[in-house]
Amino acid sequence: MARARGVLVLVSLAVLASACSGGEEEQVRVEHRTGTAPAALPGAGGPPPGILTERWQAGEIPTHSATTRPEADFALDSGNLVVFNDSGVRSYAVASGEPGWSYHEPGRRVSGFVSDGVVVLSSTDSETANTEGAVNRLVGLAAGDGKLLWEKKNEWRTDEFPPADGVIAALPADRHEAGPLTGIDVRTGEVRWETEFRRCGIPNLTRPSWHDGSLVLVSGVCAPGRQWDAFDPADGRHLWTQELDASIPGGSTSGVSIEDETVFSHRGEEVVRIDRDGTAHDPVPARPGNQFGAYQVIKAAPRLSLRDLRTAEEAVTGWPSLLGPAAFDGDTMYYLNQAGVADWLPQLVVGDLATGTQQSMPLPGAVPFPAQPVWLGVTGEHLLFAHRADDHTVSVIALTSTPTDGPVDLGGVPHESWPAPCDLLDAVTLPGGAGQEEPTLTDTTGTVEVPQVDCVRRLPDGDRLTLRVAWVAATEEQAAGRLGGTPGPTGVDEIGQSPTGMAGARIARIGTVFVEVWTEDQDTITTTLEQVAAHLRS
């Protein structure tokens, strides 16, 4: 990893005036390193369909040690990847992976988010925020270079700060206090507005799984259901109140704000839409799960189906189920699909939510598998893939793509150009007759159907020696590491257990070619792979 340039290191004691009830000053140790804002990246979305290649890797990045929402540890803004951890935040340039600015309060509990180019951090020296005597702070940092924009004493809740259109919506620190809803300007830290409203039980600010900042939502539990209030983030004006009955109980309800509308989902049984003027539409059947952009998952298995939340109409059907997190750029969706030519060759799927079309790209060997991502992000034609290294650190791989004339789903190499399995098996000098082709099932890689053809030789002892060409990569860089880097017999770059599941079956990489071989005798497999490797390299 290259060293960061143009960085000013500041290690100081930040003084927070009147932090204690007696007016005494409290000192908070701060480790703050600013940097140079990265240059703007071309394009807004992720990589277009092509051959995926690694741009950079960064490892051993600390994140929060305990979180139920790992995706909240990552944000993209101002050309930086911003990663939150227990004591603060650090940044990495998306274009290069170089570490940039960082901010930490060692020994304190820190959480945060990014909004409108500002990283907002909430910190406390107590395990339970807002307890008596706790030193609670709010800090605003520029997302590009990490420079301090503002800092102040935190008089509000520190665990519920959903950003909305340039403000932090905050409730009083004491959950039982009948105080106002407050809008704090993310650029200055100043209070922009305060709004009193009719409270219902103990109000909570929602953390929508997706929102565009057009509304601030506050909820409270009231018999027999839950009350929801919407506010304008620009001035705090109260927009509407809705009381949803027990058919949508608060404990299993999630809210999403999209283009001045609010959508509530309940256990996948229905969605309820409410317009900006408070008009509630009739419930529509739905399916539990995540909200993706302007779409709600209405069916997750065995196939994924999405609903356009702006029209409540079913927009996309027949999509494969997701392996893990997804990333979005408008109506473009990026996710991983393991249903490729083999389960050791996962695909990055680029889907158009508006049309329902999709395009797959094999992930390069630099991406570990079966390690699953905890977060995907797209910006400036980069796809960022974060996967868990251990309980508290992650590694991030940045991928870009290059155009190809061949089929993208197959890594740029048409199936007709793959080596014929019987040509490979005929090069093996073992007893027995010539190999015979035995077509099997047709596999699907992305949107391309690939006929599986086995070449079978019957050996003198009655056993069968079978060879199949599993996949061919366009370059060794694309192929390398796909089988975990385990060296094989002479001439074989990597070897692993075959995904066929048959006892003793092996899969091997020889340059850019992946072959599967199975028979009862392991010595025969070794001999076969050595001679196939010699043939391919001749």
Side-chain angles (χ1 to χ4, degrees):
M1 183 67 63
R3 298 178 63 184
R5 293 169 293 183
V7 174
L8 174 65
V9 178
L10 300 175
V11 179
S12 62
L13 291 177
V15 178
L16 181 65
S18 303
C20 295
S21 57
E24 299 178 0
E25 294 183 345
E26 291 284 348
Q27 291 184 329
V28 175
R29 179 168 172 252
V30 172
E31 296 177 356
H32 186 191
R33 181 175 65 184
T34 61
T36 302
L41 291 170
I51 303 299
L52 286 173
T53 57
E54 175 192 349
R55 178 60 62 90
W56 52 263
Q57 284 200 41
E60 298 183 350
I61 301 174
T63 56
H64 282 105
S65 57
T67 178
T68 58
R69 299 180 67 238
E71 70 277 6
D73 289 342
F74 306 90
L76 290 166
D77 201 297
S78 305
N80 275 325
L81 167 65
V82 178
V83 186
F84 298 93
N85 56 54
D86 286 341
S87 65
V89 62
R90 61 180 61 188
S91 75
Y92 298 83
V94 171
S96 64
E98 291 186 346
W101 60 267
S102 63
Y103 178 96
H104 291 92
E105 296 183 11
R108 291 169 57 82
R109 187 162 63 88
V110 179
S111 60
F113 59 85
V114 180
S115 176
D116 293 345
V118 179
V119 177
V120 179
L121 298 175
S122 169
S123 71
T124 181
D125 57 2
S126 170
E127 286 297 320
T128 305
N130 306 313
T131 57
E132 184 176 357
V135 179
N136 302 323
R137 306 178 69 228
L138 279 177
V139 176
L141 307 169
D145 55 21
K147 291 181 180 178
L148 180 66
L149 299 178
W150 53 269
E151 57 182 332
K152 64 189 306 176
K153 180 181 179 181
N154 183 8
E155 301 173 349
W156 302 273
R157 292 190 199 170
T158 61
D159 56 346
E160 296 173 345
F161 277 155
D165 197 18
V167 299
I168 309 163
L171 288 167
D174 186 346
R175 292 178 179 270
H176 300 280
E177 181 183 343
L181 177 69
T182 302
I184 304 167
D185 193 300
V186 296
R187 300 294 306 180
T188 65
E190 298 300 320
V191 173
R192 187 188 294 182
W193 48 259
E194 292 184 336
T195 300
E196 299 287 349
F197 65 102
R198 183 175 65 86
R199 292 159 53 99
C200 175
I202 300 176
N204 293 284
L205 286 164
T206 65
R207 265 196 188 278
S209 52
W210 195 94
H211 69 112
D212 60 6
S214 59
L215 298 172
V216 173
L217 298 177
V218 177
S219 64
V221 178
C222 304
R226 173 173 285 249
Q227 173 181 305
W228 291 82
D229 289 270
F231 301 85
D232 189 329
D235 54 16
R237 180 168 54 95
H238 185 265
L239 298 174
W240 51 259
T241 296
Q242 285 287 341
E243 295 182 2
L244 304 180
D245 61 26
S247 65
I248 307 183
S252 59
T253 302
S254 60
V256 180
S257 61
I258 301 169
E259 297 182 358
D260 296 329
E261 289 185 331
T262 302
V263 179
F264 300 104
S265 67
H266 164 54
R267 295 179 181 171
E269 298 168 7
E270 60 186 12
V271 293
V272 177
R273 293 173 49 238
I274 301 175
D275 294 336
R276 186 179 178 87
D277 62 3
T279 301
H281 297 264
D282 292 335
V284 188
R287 168 73 181 169
N290 301 321
Q291 287 78 23
F292 294 139
Y295 299 88
Q296 161 78 34
V297 177
I298 59 172
K299 186 178 180 182
R303 309 289 281 183
L304 180 70
S305 182
L306 303 178
R307 185 178 301 281
D308 187 331
L309 296 182
R310 292 162 295 191
T311 64
E313 295 176 352
E314 188 163 317
V316 181
T317 59
W319 286 53
S321 296
L322 299 181
L323 273 180
F328 295 86
D329 175 57
D331 280 342
T332 303
M333 172 182 177
Y334 295 80
Y335 67 98
L336 293 188
N337 177 23
Q338 193 175 342
V341 71
D343 59 6
W344 50 270
L345 186 66
Q347 307 274 318
L348 174 69
V349 181
V350 184
D352 187 327
L353 295 178
T355 64
T357 58
Q358 58 184 0
Q359 178 70 72
S360 298
M361 297 179 278
L363 290 176
V367 177
F369 197 79
Q372 298 296 322
V374 295
W375 173 79
L376 293 177
V378 292
T379 184
E381 298 188 349
H382 288 66
L383 175 104
L384 303 183
F385 179 107
H387 64 96
R388 187 73 65 191
D390 58 32
D391 289 344
H392 309 317
T393 68
V394 299
S395 293
V396 177
I397 301 173
L399 303 174
T400 56
S401 68
T402 55
T404 177
D405 292 332
V408 173
D409 304 73
L410 297 181
V413 182
H415 179 255
E416 307 83 64
S417 300
W418 291 12
C422 280
D423 288 349
L424 299 182
L425 194 54
D426 287 346
V428 178
T429 57
L430 283 172
Q436 299 293 320
E437 285 191 355
E438 291 187 3
T440 60
L441 297 176
T442 297
D443 207 341
T444 301
T445 298
T447 59
V448 176
E449 290 189 345
V450 182
Q452 292 182 352
V453 179
D454 295 344
C455 188
V456 180
R457 175 184 293 183
R458 297 190 179 277
L459 302 177
D461 60 2
D463 194 9
R464 289 160 51 100
L465 172 62
T466 303
L467 184 144
R468 176 188 299 169
V469 177
W471 189 60
V472 179
T475 65
E476 282 210 48
E477 180 184 13
Q478 186 188 41
R482 188 69 282 153
L483 302 179
T486 304
T490 304
V492 174
D493 297 294
E494 299 178 77
I495 192 167
Q497 185 66 38
S498 169
T500 62
M502 296 182 62
R506 307 291 279 172
I507 183 169
R509 179 178 72 85
I510 303 163
T512 60
V513 179
F514 292 78
V515 297
E516 296 177 67
V517 178
W518 57 94
T519 189
E520 290 186 0
D521 182 58
Q522 288 299 305
D523 290 339
T524 300
I525 291 179
T526 298
T527 300
T528 300
L529 289 175
E530 289 178 343
Q531 295 189 29
V532 168
H535 174 73
L536 285 171
R537 297 185 187 280
S538 63

